[in-house]
Amino acid sequence: MATNNKTDALESARTRLESALSRLAQGVASTRDTVSAAREIAEEKMALVARVTALEKENLKLHEQVAAHALIEPAGDSGELEALRAEKASLEQNYQLLKRQYAHLQDELEAAEDAKSAAWGNGEDGSATAELEAENAKLKARVLELEEERMSVRSELDGAIGRLETMVGSA
């Protein structure tokens, strides 16, 4: 009977050990997924920051070019020039709006990252992670929309600058 008690105790210990190892493996897999997701988010954030920086540099360059052309006042077609200036002001407003939206989305993304890490740290179940992933997907889609809008504004700005250069060149 002592042998049966030892066997039962060993079997019970083996079962507890297997259960603990299973939970540990699940925790490691969950941590690995979380770290991977955080790394992807960080890489996307760095790419977006690089894009915004490049856009700001190009915008500064364009402002300098427009300022240089503005110093040379053409003799005629001041109405067309005023229309171009109004269009330029509109495009600059759109650009500033896009920058604010980007900053807002970046803040939301950081909040989602914080919430995800807090949810994981509190041991919440996968529903919080699923919600955060859904929010992350929505934010990524919105960022893509903003990038498309930025490209549209950029092409409009390029067109306006081209017309301004043509007008200045012909004057």
Side-chain angles (χ1 to χ4, degrees), residues 91-109:
L91 290 173
E92 286 176 355
Q93 287 175 346
N94 286 342
Y95 173 73
Q96 294 301 324
L97 174 67
L98 287 173
K99 276 180 59 174
R100 285 191 303 273
Q101 288 175 340
Y102 171 79
H104 176 71
L105 285 175
Q106 193 172 20
D107 292 342
E108 286 182 13
L109 184 62

Side-chain angles (χ1 to χ4, degrees), residues 5-82:
N5 285 342
K6 279 186 172 181
T7 305
D8 288 343
L10 287 174
E11 192 63 33
S12 174
R14 186 180 63 79
T15 303
R16 287 192 315 268
L17 182 59
E18 287 176 353
S19 174
L21 287 173
S22 175
R23 285 191 309 269
L24 181 61
Q26 288 174 351
V28 167
S30 176
T31 300
R32 189 176 299 129
D33 292 343
T34 302
V35 167
S36 175
R39 187 176 295 125
E40 288 175 8
I41 289 171
E43 289 171 358
E44 290 175 10
K45 181 179 175 182
M46 287 175 28
L48 289 174
V49 167
R51 287 180 186 165
V52 166
T53 302
L55 183 60
E56 288 174 346
K57 285 180 183 178
E58 185 171 336
N59 190 33
L60 179 62
K61 177 183 161 188
L62 293 174
H63 280 283
E64 289 171 355
Q65 289 176 353
V66 168
H69 290 299
L71 293 176
I72 305 170
E73 189 68 36
D77 284 309
S78 64
E80 185 178 339
L81 183 61
E82 289 302 317

